[in-house]
């Protein structure tokens, strides 16, 4: 069953109208607030931005928070908001067109060959030395900056900073486990038993066969949420594994095939959606919130978002983060992409943009973007910012402007507006535990000309083969034949050679 959600893409010029309204709100809710740039008499700096959003709708042109950000940073913003459902396509089209905004989000920069090649051909500003002049940006973890550097060791973007450890993993309907008398799964065998029970034993008690074990989907760069299961088998994250000091494509690993056989079993037994290959990320989130799935693989804050929605109908519902599966959990690169500045932007304006983003990484800027005005958009309790109804009306959240402005916080994903403190404390402990079993993508920051040139073609073939294996449209024998062909393919071997040379160079 697909829960359809209309894709949204809006280009929003944020005008300076309704200044009186913004000033009144700001003064009443944030008295005495000043900005290092807000009092300058010079004309506002125009900044065009392309980014994504995870709120129901993107912020509108009359959004009071964006207007306040303009005021405090002396800028005039024109933001193109693109739905996460089609961001990859829009990014590729925009990059190819050459008509780039002043700031453009590359959500998975290592997965876009065009981002790599354009960066190293001089299409974007090299920020390697520049970012160190900005006090809030330099607070981002060193590993975050290192992971976003390409093979040449240079940083071409400002991180959309995220925690390195613990934010993403499997989450389970704890209330369903309790109802069915099941324990939290720690292995893939135990996970199978849980998924089977969730799909066949009517955990929601409605008398219908309408629930799934795990709500997964695929995307253009991989097998989406199923990567948590893939990681449990391969003990690595991404397309490569470090074996004996060398990078090996996971498609070569017997454990990769084992993961696909496992996923095929889930598909045959209808423990995952039959139409997973065409589902969008937002659709699986909607399905989880509607009580159609027992397991999901999203960051902790999104899991709590599902919990909050489910509790409107079932007060004891709880989508609980699991610590690990087969002793492993995914490690994030410390960012959810980065914001690139095209080289066409004059250097003087680049400095203004860096000041703008540095403000967004400050306590003041980040809190404004994510929570809004005190006593208008949030109240404080137990050290938490509790959103008001006005926050919903004004679209103030981490899912809107918080996708552009955000400070670093190790436990960022443990928090979601409205989460009780005891749950937050429990989630911070889970993050600490996840960090002990986290596996890194060893190819992060590694580069190869052959990878840029040939990988998109191979990637499509590999993903196609994986999906066909999952749905049973390809045989085990043909899969083995496909892998053997890759092992003897000259261009594929060229990628492996160059990736390993780059890895050795980067890691000494």
């Amino acid at each position: 069953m697909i829960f359809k959600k209309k894709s949204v893409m809006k280009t929003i010029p944020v005008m300076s109208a309704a200044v009186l309204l913004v000033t009144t709100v700001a003064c009443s809710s944030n008295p005495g607030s000043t900005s290092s740039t807000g009092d300058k008499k010079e004309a506002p700096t125009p900044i065009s931005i392309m980014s994504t959003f995870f709120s129901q709708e993107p912020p509108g042109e009359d959004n009071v928070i964006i207007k306040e950000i303009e005021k405090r940073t002396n800028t005039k913003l024109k933001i193109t908001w693109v739905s996460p459902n089609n961001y990859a396509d829009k990014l590729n089209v925009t990059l190819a067109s050459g008509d780039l905004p002043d700031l453009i989000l590359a959500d998975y920069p290592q997965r876009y060959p065009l981002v790599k090649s354009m960066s190293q051909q001089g299409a974007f500003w090299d920020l390697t030395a520049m970012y160190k002049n900005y006090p809030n940006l330099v607070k981002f973890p060193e590993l975050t900056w290192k992971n976003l550097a390409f093979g040449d060791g240079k940083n071409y973007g400002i991180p959309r900073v995220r925690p390195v450890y613990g934010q993403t993993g499997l989450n389970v309907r704890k209330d369903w486990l309790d109802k069915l008398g099941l324990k939290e799964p720690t292995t893939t065998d135990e996970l199978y038993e849980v998924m089977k029970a969730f799909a066949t034993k009517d955990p929601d008690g409605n008398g219908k066969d309408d629930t799934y074990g795990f709500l997964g989907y695929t995307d253009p760069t991989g097998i989406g949420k199923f990567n948590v299961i893939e990681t449990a088998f391969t003990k690595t994250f991404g397309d490569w594994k470090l074996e004996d000091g060398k990078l090996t494509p996971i498609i070569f690993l017997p454990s990769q095939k084992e993961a696909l056989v496992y996923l095929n079993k889930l598909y045959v037994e209808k423990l995952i959606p039959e139409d997973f290959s065409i589902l969008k990320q937002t659709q699986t989130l909607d399905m989880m919130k509607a009580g159609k799935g027992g397991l999901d693989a999203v960051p902790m804050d999104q899991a709590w978002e599902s919990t909050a929605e489910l509790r409107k109908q079932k007060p004891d519902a709880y989508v609980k983060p699991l610590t690990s599966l087969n002793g492993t959990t995914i490690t994030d690169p410390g960012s959810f992409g980065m914001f690139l500045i095209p080289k066409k932007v004059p250097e003087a304006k680049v400095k203004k943009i860096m000041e703008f983003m540095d403000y967004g990484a400050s306590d003041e800027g980040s809190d404004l973007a994510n929570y809004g005005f005190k006593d208008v958009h949030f109240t404080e309790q137990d050290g938490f910012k509790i959103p008001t109804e006005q926050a919903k009306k004004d679209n103030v959240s981490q899912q809107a402007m918080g996708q552009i402005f955000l400070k670093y916080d190790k436990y960022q994903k443990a928090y979601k507006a409205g989460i009780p403190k005891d749950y937050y404390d429990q989630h911070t402990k889970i993050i600490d535990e996840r960090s002990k079993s986290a596996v890194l993508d060893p190819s992060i920051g590694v580069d190869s000309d052959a990878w840029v040139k040939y990988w998109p073609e191979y990637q499509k073939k590999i993903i196609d083969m994986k999906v066909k294996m999952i749905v049973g449209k390809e045989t085990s024998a043909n899969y083995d034949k496909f892998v053997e062909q890759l092992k003897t393919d000259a261009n594929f071997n060229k990628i492996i050679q160059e990736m390993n040379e780059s890895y050795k160079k980067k890691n000494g």
Side-chain angles (χ1 to χ4, degrees):
M1 179 176 183
I2 297 179
F3 288 68
K4 294 185 177 179
K5 184 175 180 182
K6 186 177 181 182
S7 295
V8 181
M9 185 183 78
K10 295 184 179 180
T11 301
I12 304 174
V14 184
M15 307 302 291
S16 58
V19 171
L20 180 60
L21 171 64
V22 177
T23 303
T24 302
V25 173
C27 290
S28 63
S29 62
N30 199 20
S33 175
T34 60
S35 167
S36 60
T37 58
D39 296 330
K40 291 183 179 180
K41 295 182 180 179
E42 63 187 73
T45 300
I47 302 177
S48 57
I49 305 172
M50 184 174 121
S51 185
T52 191
F53 63 96
F54 292 94
S55 50
Q56 287 294 106
E57 298 288 335
E61 60 182 10
D62 59 346
N63 185 273
V64 295
I65 298 304
I66 295 180
K67 291 180 180 298
E68 181 67 12
I69 288 173
E70 287 185 313
K71 175 185 173 184
R72 297 190 190 184
T73 60
N74 195 33
T75 57
K76 190 176 183 67
L77 306 177
K78 180 179 179 181
I79 307 177
T80 299
W81 297 101
V82 183
S83 166
N85 287 342
N86 62 344
Y87 197 85
D89 292 337
K90 178 62 177 177
L91 177 61
N92 279 323
V93 169
T94 303
L95 290 173
S97 73
D99 185 16
L100 307 180
D102 299 322
L103 267 177
I104 183 168
L105 172 67
D107 53 346
Y108 293 100
Q110 305 290 349
R111 297 183 182 179
Y112 294 105
L114 196 54
V115 171
K116 282 188 176 183
S117 60
M118 289 180 65
S119 297
Q120 295 181 337
Q121 290 169 12
F124 302 107
W125 277 89
D126 176 4
L127 308 178
T128 311
M130 195 181 301
Y131 81 81
K132 297 175 183 177
N133 298 321
Y134 298 88
N136 297 304
L137 296 180
V138 81
K139 290 179 183 177
F140 292 174
E142 183 179 351
L143 186 58
T144 295
W145 288 100
K146 181 180 179 181
N147 284 344
L148 281 177
F150 292 138
D152 58 6
K154 297 179 179 179
N155 286 105
Y156 295 96
I158 303 165
R160 182 163 58 147
V161 71
R162 294 291 187 273
V164 176
Y165 298 108
Q167 69 163 339
T168 302
L170 274 174
N171 311 287
V172 66
R173 282 291 298 269
K174 181 67 165 58
D175 52 312
W176 284 9
L177 287 176
D178 295 341
K179 179 180 179 179
L180 299 176
L182 300 169
K183 67 176 184 178
E184 295 178 21
T186 59
T187 68
T188 45
D189 288 340
E190 293 174 354
L191 181 67
Y192 166 76
E193 296 299 333
V194 167
M195 287 189 284
K196 190 172 182 66
F198 284 172
T200 63
K201 294 186 178 181
D202 192 26
D204 58 354
N206 67 355
K208 299 178 181 179
D209 183 17
D210 61 352
T211 53
Y212 292 105
F214 179 35
L215 297 174
Y217 71 96
T218 59
D219 60 50
T221 61
I223 55 174
K225 292 181 180 179
F226 294 133
N227 61 17
V228 295
I229 292 177
E230 190 175 64
T231 291
F233 279 91
T234 64
K235 306 292 186 180
T236 190
F237 180 50
D239 296 310
W240 302 82
K241 183 173 184 177
L242 192 64
E243 291 192 319
D244 299 323
K246 295 182 179 180
L247 291 177
T248 301
I250 64 168
I251 193 68
F252 289 179
L253 305 178
S255 55
Q256 167 69 94
K257 183 179 178 180
E258 291 172 12
L260 298 175
V261 170
Y262 180 92
L263 289 167
N264 171 252
K265 183 178 182 180
L266 305 185
Y267 178 82
V268 170
E269 298 185 18
K270 299 183 179 180
L271 309 187
I272 58 178
E274 298 93 321
D275 49 4
F276 74 85
S277 63
I278 60 172
L279 282 176
K280 302 296 185 182
Q281 180 185 32
T282 50
Q283 291 172 321
T284 59
L285 288 172
D286 289 342
M287 292 171 71
M288 195 69 186
K289 293 175 184 177
K292 300 303 177 183
L295 285 130
D296 198 3
V298 295
M300 284 185 176
D301 58 340
Q302 290 185 22
W304 185 261
E305 185 179 317
S306 295
T307 294
E309 188 64 30
L310 288 164
R311 287 190 172 184
K312 293 178 181 179
Q313 303 298 327
K314 195 173 186 301
D316 68 335
Y318 179 25
V319 184
K320 181 182 179 180
L322 294 175
T323 300
S324 64
L325 190 63
N326 288 354
T328 63
T329 190
I330 292 172
T331 299
D332 293 276
S335 66
F336 190 179
M338 62 183 178
F339 285 93
L340 304 155
I341 305 176
K343 202 61 186 287
K344 70 175 184 178
V345 178
E347 185 173 3
K349 186 173 182 178
V350 171
K351 293 179 180 178
K352 295 288 187 181
I353 292 172
M354 294 295 287
E355 289 176 7
F356 172 77
M357 294 299 284
D358 187 70
Y359 175 74
S362 69
D363 289 342
E364 178 186 311
S366 179
D367 287 353
L368 174 63
N370 288 276
Y371 306 112
F373 301 119
K374 185 177 181 180
D375 297 327
V376 175
H377 297 116
F378 71 91
T379 57
E380 288 190 312
Q381 181 179 340
D382 295 327
F384 287 159
K385 295 178 174 61
I386 311 300
T388 64
E389 284 300 313
Q390 191 62 40
K392 296 179 182 178
K393 293 178 182 179
D394 290 344
N395 197 0
V396 181
S397 73
Q398 295 165 297
Q399 311 306 326
M401 270 305 294
Q403 294 302 310
I404 300 175
F405 272 10
L406 195 66
K407 64 183 177 182
Y408 174 71
D409 177 5
K410 176 183 178 181
Y411 298 118
Q412 172 205 334
K413 291 299 179 176
Y415 176 79
K416 181 71 180 180
I419 189 172
K421 190 174 188 305
D422 56 338
Y423 282 96
Y424 169 82
D425 290 341
Q426 182 178 342
H427 289 186
T428 61
K429 293 177 181 177
I430 293 173
I431 286 175
D432 289 337
E433 286 301 311
R434 282 182 172 181
S435 68
K436 298 175 183 178
S437 59
V439 290
L440 280 166
D441 178 349
S443 70
I444 290 178
V446 179
D447 207 0
S448 156
D449 290 338
W451 189 95
V452 171
K453 184 176 181 179
Y454 301 118
W455 183 252
E457 177 187 349
Y458 290 117
Q459 184 181 52
K460 289 178 182 178
K461 291 179 180 179
I462 290 172
I463 295 172
D464 184 58
M465 174 58 73
K466 287 182 179 182
V467 173
K468 286 181 178 178
M469 281 287 288
I470 294 172
V471 301
K473 289 185 177 180
E474 197 57 271
T475 65
S476 178
N478 282 342
Y479 176 87
D480 292 339
K481 183 178 179 181
F482 172 75
V483 172
E484 290 304 314
Q485 288 175 340
L486 287 178
K487 288 181 177 179
T488 59
D489 185 292
N491 291 333
F492 199 77
N493 277 287
K494 183 67 172 176
I495 293 174
I496 297 173
Q497 176 189 341
E498 292 185 2
M499 289 290 284
N500 274 284
E501 289 172 353
S502 177
Y503 178 84
K504 291 178 181 178
K505 181 179 179 181
K506 179 179 180 180
N507 294 281

